[in-house]
Amino acid sequence: MKNIYLLTVLSIVILAIYPNSNLANRRHFTYTYESAVLPKGSHELEIWNTVRLNRKDFYRGLDTRSEFEFGLGGNLQTSLYLNLTSEMDASGNTDQTFGFSNEWKYKLLDATADALGLALYGEGSYTNEEIELEGKIILDKQIDNLLFAFNAVGEHSFVSGVGSGSIVQTQTEDIIEFDGGATYFITENFTAGIEAHEQSKRPPGLEGGGTYSAFFAGPSLSYAGPNWWSAISVMPQIAGSSKSESGVVSTDKLELIQHEKLEARVVLAFEF
């Protein structure tokens, strides 16, 4: 694992000395994708860090992703991710999972030239505990200094774990998510706005089953340098609901079984 982090640091140093690029795939949000894709022959390294804080009791989660994007031409791009998730609960128990993902994104309409930007997105992920398939419909539009974006997301996963009788089982998990944001270009390089996402999750019986939904919203900032850009979002949970496998509906304001009180994400990217 240390070798992966060393490679990431070295990549950042090397990419930082490359000449200016057109930042064609610059993002202004961290959860909400935009329709732009890299031009043919362009490359990008993105480093993601997502912090997830506190459920009903003490909880810490950190998701780290290193993404290498490649522009293929014809409004198509692909990317490879290395993923690491670390978790700690109130009892001090820790868990780490490592895996990889492959993303494909195809732009159908341009957010500036057309009435509405439109792109389709597909991603497959693998860890030793889960195989996940994800699809997105990406919509966005820039009007003068205002940028709006919206994503409809669906995920279907196959989760492995120890069930009754200490038998290893594989069960399914389904997630539906809606992400959106609006931001204002204060300068050509700096934007400030708001981002939100709502997620409804149906975990496998191995994790208790049921249906759990949570809505997050908060400020989002982005800044672009000569050949790099960064974006950050800080989103507390505003409201949530849960329904257990047996049909019991929670009356709590927040959903703190499958979701956290606060999520914060920062993305740092270098184009070359």
Side-chain angles (χ1 to χ4, degrees), residues 61-83:
L62 175 63
D63 307 322
T64 299
R65 309 187 80 185
S66 298
E67 178 188 8
F68 300 87
E69 290 188 349
F70 309 90
L72 302 177
N75 291 330
L76 181 66
Q77 74 174 40
T78 188
S79 65
L80 298 173
Y81 294 80
L82 298 177
N83 308 317

Side-chain angles (χ1 to χ4, degrees), residues 17-36:
I17 66 175
Y18 269 75
N20 183 27
S21 73
N22 58 13
L23 294 176
N25 196 37
R26 174 189 172 188
R27 289 175 55 189
H28 304 87
F29 309 101
T30 64
Y31 285 78
T32 310
Y33 281 66
E34 298 160 55
S35 61

Side-chain angles (χ1 to χ4, degrees), residues 10-11 27 30 32 41 43 58 68 85 89-90 112 122-123 129 147 155 167 173 175 181 189 249 251 256 261 263-264:
L10 290 176
S11 299
R27 289 175 55 189
T30 64
T32 310
H43 311 84
F58 174 90
F68 300 87
T85 295
D89 63 21
T112 303
E123 180 181 317
E129 299 177 355
L147 173 66
E155 298 179 20
I167 299 174
E173 175 180 78
I175 295 175
N189 295 330
V249 178
T251 58
L256 299 175
K261 290 183 179 179
E263 294 183 358

Side-chain angles (χ1 to χ4, degrees), residues 132-235:
E132 177 187 298
L133 301 174
E134 176 184 333
K136 298 180 193 281
I137 298 174
I138 301 169
L139 302 172
D140 60 350
K141 181 62 182 177
Q142 183 169 343
I143 304 173
D144 296 326
N145 288 335
L146 285 172
L147 173 66
F148 304 91
F150 174 80
N151 300 168
V153 186
E155 298 179 20
H156 184 70
S157 303
F158 301 90
V159 182
S160 297
V162 179
S164 59
S166 299
I167 299 174
V168 176
Q169 301 178 7
T170 299
Q171 299 179 356
T172 60
E173 175 180 78
D174 292 297
I175 295 175
I176 295 176
E177 182 171 313
F178 299 101
D179 304 312
T183 196
Y184 181 80
F185 285 81
I186 297 175
T187 69
E188 183 179 353
N189 295 330
F190 178 60
T191 67
I194 188 170
E195 186 171 15
H197 77 104
E198 180 175 16
Q199 185 183 85
S200 296
K201 179 186 292 188
R202 296 185 58 128
L206 293 166
E207 299 178 10
T211 303
Y212 305 87
S213 299
F215 175 75
F216 299 81
S220 181
L221 304 172
S222 78
Y223 185 82
N227 66 328
W228 63 273
W229 59 263
S230 184
I232 183 171
S233 300
V234 180
M235 292 190 281

